[in-house]
């Protein structure tokens, strides 16, 4: 996720772009850049590492760059660490094409090799530079104009992109193209704008054009024309934005958390896109190899909070599929326990921020003991990402709400992919099962969207029980791991005392806490364990509990026991966490809203815990 702004008009472009980028900083903030042109003069490019403020200061709030046409970008790194070199805009060697990009180009390696065969060289680690040079390549090869060259590049690029591009020989125009990444266009009497999101241009216009998937736009000074990938002109009707500026920043949602809950299918889709190519799991730039996988004797997953809960779910998947022993450890405990580590162990550290102090210390402890480490990280260039021997990135984009949702979901995907790969390479599953499981993972984003469609029922339930004082989440196996995360969501944003219990443990103590009206959520997504957990639900019901059941479609007999039931689509049971967690995130969210709490910034909590 990155933020893009383009301006072509009669005013000075740089201050307008900086102001627009500031409104998009929630989309990325590790580096930024501007490309400004003054008529036919050469395009000036300025980039800076760090927050947007650094770029603003470097350009004297934009006053140092003269010109009334330009593009700007604020970056959230996916390919290549945050640096001035990797910051956008990117440019072809002769500065014929200059552009900014948001999205992930999946076949960047293949495209890079193609361009290298035609003597292109590369200065950055980004997939964006490849896209820009591909457009340049087609422009020179076919001697056609911008729309044709962009369209040709689009037919070769796989993945998602929002591209905003300027061409040396077309000084009064900006070009845009998009597929599966947001990009809007706004037009006033004498100017046109492009942006990743509405807040960037709301000051200038409320009438926006949503560029369709695989469409191209040509922006003049106060004009916009649209084309499809076959280069045919298309008509797009403008839409009026009715949100105020604050709502616009959250895409019309009331809070970042609910926005991020809705971004989960996209985060999962992007993460799958980075891990799966031609139906196979790829190691990418992680440096992991089949040999390392074959030689691993034990996996230790070390993390904190929700990332630890990903580890708990992953343990079932790894052990079940790959038949390799897995230990899951709280990083804050692991580092002080003098843990027993063996030479062929693999220590997997999961972290959204990549900066959590305990997780970082655990990673260092493993490294000092000479143990191989692997990070599953959301922030490119963060400390854990830099120090781990191998890194797989989650492509969730920046997460603003303190309660994690989309990063958690993206972490699960990396864990599934690694477990499947371990199982396959170690001969525990055959090629058919391997292919089928990868195909099933790819169905998850659509299934997650179906779960989200049912959110009103959970909103109603949460409003009804907003006065709850104690809550229990129970489940067995993977359902226990789901319960742990559901319970944490409830505690951290709704301040409801809540506990997750392995359903079979209830009668060893906890059941004495259940009394009339106690809210209990029974998670039953695993067929083998369904009847067992259901009997535990009956036990708490007979002691007065009010029961919410969470299971998959088809298991309708749960209604004989539960007072309120939520169903999620069926998937391979190893991947159920990805679907079943969404109703529990929604439950925590709506309960917090109903109690009038600060959902995005709950008391006493920070997004990144960089102290012990
Ligand atoms: O950045 P990390 O993933 O390392 O953070 C770990 C935990 O602090 C984090 O998951 C925390 O539990 C969240 N607030 C949960 O929503």
């Amino acid at each position: 996720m990155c933020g893009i702004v383009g301006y072509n008009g009669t005013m000075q472009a740089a201050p307008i772009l900086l102001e627009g980028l500031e409104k998009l900083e929630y989309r990325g903030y590790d580096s930024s850049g501007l490309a400004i042109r003054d008529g036919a003069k050469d395009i000036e490019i300025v980039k800076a590492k760090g927050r947007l403020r650094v770029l603003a200061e470097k350009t004297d709030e934009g006053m140092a760059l003269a010109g009334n046409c330009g593009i700007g970008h604020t970056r959230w790194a996916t390919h290549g660490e945050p640096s001035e070199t990797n910051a956008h805009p990117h440019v072809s060697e002769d500065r014929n094409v200059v552009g900014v990009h948001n999205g992930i180009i999946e076949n960047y390696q293949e495209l890079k090799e193609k361009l290298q065969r035609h003597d292109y060289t590369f200065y950055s680690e980004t997939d964006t530079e490849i896209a820009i040079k591909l457009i340049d390549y087609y422009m020179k090869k076919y001697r056609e104009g911008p729309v044709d060259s962009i369209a040709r590049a689009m037919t070769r690029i796989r993945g998602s992109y929002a591209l905003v591009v300027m061409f040396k020989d077309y000084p009064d125009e900006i070009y845009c193209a998009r597929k599966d990444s947001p990009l809007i266009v706004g037009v006033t009497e004498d100017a046109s704008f492009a942006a990743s999101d509405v807040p960037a241009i709301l000051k200038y216009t409320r009438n926006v054009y949503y560029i369709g998937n695989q469409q191209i736009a040509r922006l003049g000074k106060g004009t916009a024309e649209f084309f499809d990938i076959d280069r045919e002109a298309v008509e797009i009707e403008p839409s009026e934005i009715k949100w105020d500026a604050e709502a616009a920043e959250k895409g019309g949602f009331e809070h970042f958390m609910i926005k991020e809950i809705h971004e989960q299918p996209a985060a999962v889709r992007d993460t799958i896109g980075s891990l799966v190519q031609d139906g196979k799991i790829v190691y990418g730039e992680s440096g992991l190899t089949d040999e390392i996988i074959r030689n691993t004797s034990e996996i230790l997953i070390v993390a904190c909070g929700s990332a630890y809960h990903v580890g708990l779910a992953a343990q079932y998947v790894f052990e079940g599929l790959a038949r390799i022993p897995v230990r899951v450890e709280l990083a804050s405990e692991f580092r002080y326990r003098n843990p027993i580590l063996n030479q062929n162990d693999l220590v997997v550290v999961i972290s959204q921020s990549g900066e959590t102090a305990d997780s970082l210390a655990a990673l260092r402890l493993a490294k000092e003991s000479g143990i191989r480490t692997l990070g599953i990280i959301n922030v490119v260039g963060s400390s854990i990402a830099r120090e781990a021997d191998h890194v797989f990135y989650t492509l969730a984009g920046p997460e603003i709400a303190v309660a994690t949702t989309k990063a958690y979901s993206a972490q699960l995907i990396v864990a599934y992919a690694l477990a499947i790969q371990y199982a396959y390479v170690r001969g525990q599953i055959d090629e058919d099962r391997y292919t089928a499981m990868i195909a099933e993972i790819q169905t998850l984003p659509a299934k997650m969207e179906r779960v989200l469609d049912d959110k009103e029922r959970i909103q109603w339930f949460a409003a009804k029980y907003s006065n709850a004082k104690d809550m229990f989440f129970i489940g067995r196996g993977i359902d226990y791991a789901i319960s742990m995360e559901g319970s944490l969501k409830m505690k951290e944003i709704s301040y409801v005392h809540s506990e997750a219990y392995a359903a079979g443990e209830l009668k060893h103590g906890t059941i004495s806490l259940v009394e009339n009206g106690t809210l209990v959520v029974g998670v039953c997504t695993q067929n083998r364990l369904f009847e067992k957990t259901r009997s535990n639900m009956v036990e708490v019901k007979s002691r007065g509990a009010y029961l919410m059941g969470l299971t998959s479609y088809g298991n309708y007999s749960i209604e004989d026991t539960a007072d309120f039931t939520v169903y999620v689509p069926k998937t391979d049971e190893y991947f159920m966490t990805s679907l079943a967690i969404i109703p529990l995130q929604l439950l925590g969210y709506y309960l917090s809203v109903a109690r009038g709490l600060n959902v995005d910034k709950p008391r006493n909590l920070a997004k990144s815990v960089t102290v012990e």
Side-chain angles (χ1 to χ4, degrees):
M1 205 150 112
C2 301
I4 291 179
V5 190
Y7 172 78
N8 185 14
T10 52
M11 296 193 283
Q12 285 302 301
I16 294 174
L17 295 178
L18 281 173
E19 196 181 20
L21 289 176
E22 203 183 308
K23 301 269 186 263
L24 299 183
E25 229 185 339
Y26 70 90
R27 300 182 60 87
Y29 41 74
D30 62 45
S31 55
S32 54
L34 293 172
I36 306 290
R37 69 187 310 172
D38 192 3
K41 288 190 199 156
D42 193 21
I43 300 173
E44 256 192 282
I45 299 174
V46 183
K47 306 193 214 182
K49 184 179 168 195
R51 303 292 295 221
L52 190 63
R53 195 81 300 273
V54 185
L55 181 70
E57 278 161 21
K58 202 168 174 182
T59 58
D60 191 13
E61 308 300 323
M63 306 307 275
L65 295 170
N68 44 31
C69 180
I71 56 182
H73 188 267
T74 176
R75 180 169 185 247
W76 176 263
T78 53
H79 288 86
E81 60 169 24
S83 68
E84 213 170 289
T85 311
N86 288 332
H88 302 208
H90 285 286
V91 62
S92 63
E93 214 162 308
D94 56 2
R95 298 171 84 83
N96 176 37
V97 191
V98 181
V100 291
H101 162 231
N102 168 37
I104 291 133
I105 295 172
E106 287 163 14
N107 58 336
Y108 70 97
Q109 196 55 43
E110 165 200 323
L111 297 174
K112 188 174 184 178
E113 283 159 18
K114 169 188 165 67
L115 290 169
Q116 278 166 334
R117 286 196 294 276
H118 294 278
D119 298 329
Y120 278 82
T121 56
F122 296 88
Y123 58 83
S124 77
E125 300 160 287
T126 65
D127 51 351
T128 306
E129 187 191 351
I130 296 163
I132 298 304
K133 291 187 171 169
L134 189 69
I135 296 171
D136 178 66
Y137 165 77
Y138 283 123
M139 190 164 226
K140 295 200 165 98
K141 179 170 179 188
Y142 293 101
R143 296 171 193 278
E144 293 171 334
V147 171
D148 304 281
S149 313
I150 293 172
R152 285 187 191 278
M154 285 164 77
T155 57
R156 286 302 302 267
I157 294 174
R158 280 204 312 273
S160 61
Y161 51 82
L163 280 163
V164 179
V165 185
M166 297 193 292
F167 293 84
K168 186 157 77 185
D169 297 332
Y170 298 80
D172 290 323
E173 287 162 2
I174 289 179
Y175 291 82
C176 311
R178 74 166 281 264
K179 177 177 170 272
D180 297 335
S181 281
L183 193 62
I184 55 163
V185 162
V187 180
T188 62
E189 210 162 279
D190 55 7
S192 58
F193 299 81
S196 303
D197 206 349
V198 173
I201 62 172
L202 206 55
K203 183 172 163 191
Y204 300 97
T205 179
R206 284 188 169 270
N207 290 324
V208 305
Y209 298 86
Y210 288 95
I211 307 177
N213 232 11
Q214 296 204 289
Q215 288 184 346
I216 302 166
R218 174 163 53 207
L219 309 185
K221 293 185 189 301
T223 62
E225 298 159 87
F226 302 97
F227 306 88
D228 63 19
I229 197 166
D230 298 320
R231 310 168 218 181
E232 301 288 339
V234 289
E235 288 292 322
I236 300 181
E237 288 300 316
S239 315
E240 196 196 334
I241 301 293
K242 300 209 167 80
W243 308 323
D244 62 21
E246 203 196 322
E249 201 186 0
K250 298 179 188 119
F253 290 102
E254 207 181 329
H255 301 100
F256 278 110
M257 182 178 174
I258 188 73
K259 176 172 180 269
E260 288 162 3
I261 286 175
H262 282 84
E263 282 170 356
Q264 291 183 108
V268 162
R269 200 173 283 126
D270 285 346
T271 305
I272 296 170
S274 72
L275 293 165
V276 178
Q277 259 168 40
D278 302 324
K280 294 206 159 21
I281 289 159
V282 291
Y283 299 128
E285 284 158 21
S286 70
L288 194 66
T289 60
D290 286 358
E291 200 191 341
I292 296 171
I293 288 183
R294 266 186 228 105
N295 291 338
T296 310
S297 52
E298 187 176 17
I299 295 175
L300 283 96
I301 303 180
V302 189
C304 300
S306 296
Y308 168 75
H309 298 155
V310 169
L312 291 180
Q315 182 180 35
Y316 292 100
V317 188
F318 269 104
E319 292 195 339
L321 276 180
R323 306 304 299 146
I324 181 167
V326 177
R327 270 152 60 193
V328 190
E329 308 259 359
L330 287 166
S332 53
E333 291 294 314
F334 177 83
R335 60 183 292 199
Y336 293 117
R337 218 193 52 228
N338 194 9
I340 297 167
L341 299 169
N342 296 306
Q343 215 46 47
N344 286 333
D345 287 352
L346 177 71
V347 169
V348 176
V349 179
I350 306 178
S351 174
Q352 185 284 128
S353 61
E355 300 294 350
T356 300
D358 287 320
S359 306
L360 180 59
L363 176 98
R364 287 180 177 159
L365 175 72
K367 288 197 78 175
E368 278 157 21
S369 315
I371 308 299
R372 190 182 289 281
T373 56
L374 183 150
I376 299 177
I377 308 294
N378 197 42
V379 180
V380 175
S382 57
S383 303
I384 300 176
R386 282 199 313 271
E387 293 184 30
D389 298 314
H390 309 279
V391 183
F392 284 89
Y393 286 109
T394 46
L395 301 186
E399 205 175 46
I400 309 291
V402 164
T404 183
T405 51
K406 60 177 181 167
Y408 167 89
S409 286
Q411 286 162 354
L412 281 173
I413 296 298
V414 179
Y416 300 156
L418 285 174
I420 294 170
Q421 193 66 5
Y422 260 80
Y424 182 57
V425 170
R426 293 165 73 101
Q428 294 293 333
I429 56 172
D430 63 16
E431 181 136 16
D432 286 350
R433 180 103 195 268
Y434 179 72
T435 311
M437 292 202 93
I438 294 171
E440 186 56 35
I441 285 189
Q442 288 171 316
T443 68
L444 288 174
K447 289 176 180 169
M448 293 171 93
E449 270 152 15
R450 275 182 65 197
V451 181
L452 286 167
D453 286 344
D454 206 19
K455 64 180 181 222
E456 269 83 17
R457 290 187 70 238
I458 297 177
Q459 184 171 13
W460 169 84
F461 183 75
K464 198 163 169 217
Y465 285 92
S466 60
N467 288 329
K469 290 215 165 31
D470 296 293
M471 239 175 126
F472 295 91
F473 291 76
I474 58 169
R476 289 166 183 256
I478 286 180
D479 291 335
Y480 174 48
I482 298 169
S483 298
M484 295 282 282
E485 176 61 7
S487 173
L488 179 61
K489 289 279 102 57
M490 187 56 64
K491 280 185 270 233
E492 66 176 334
I493 53 169
S494 307
Y495 312 158
V496 174
H497 165 251
S498 123
E499 309 230 11
Y501 252 81
E505 266 299 291
L506 275 178
K507 49 185 163 302
H508 297 286
T510 318
I511 202 162
S512 63
L513 291 171
V514 174
E515 53 190 23
N516 252 352
T518 306
L519 205 51
V520 178
V521 178
V523 185
C524 304
T525 70
Q526 307 290 303
N527 266 339
R528 195 166 54 91
L529 302 167
F530 182 85
E531 283 308 331
K532 297 258 176 232
T533 305
R534 206 163 65 129
S535 344
N536 299 129
M537 289 166 70
V538 171
E539 281 159 17
V540 292
K541 192 169 182 182
S542 63
R543 279 144 183 101
Y546 188 87
L547 267 179
M548 170 176 149
L550 174 57
T551 187
S552 54
Y553 287 105
N555 291 333
Y556 302 120
S557 63
I558 198 167
E559 291 188 20
D560 300 340
T561 311
D563 300 292
F564 174 77
T565 308
V566 176
Y567 295 102
V568 296
K570 284 211 180 297
T571 182
D572 188 299
E573 290 189 359
Y574 283 122
F575 309 149
M576 264 299 177
T577 316
S578 294
L579 304 181
I581 198 56
I582 296 176
L584 302 185
Q585 294 168 340
L586 289 167
L587 188 60
Y589 170 76
Y590 284 125
L591 229 110
S592 176
V593 173
R595 291 160 78 105
L597 301 172
N598 189 344
V599 179
D600 286 335
K601 288 190 181 141
R603 67 185 179 205
N604 309 337
L605 293 174
K607 183 69 187 158
S608 176
V609 185
T610 52
V611 290
E612 286 186 41

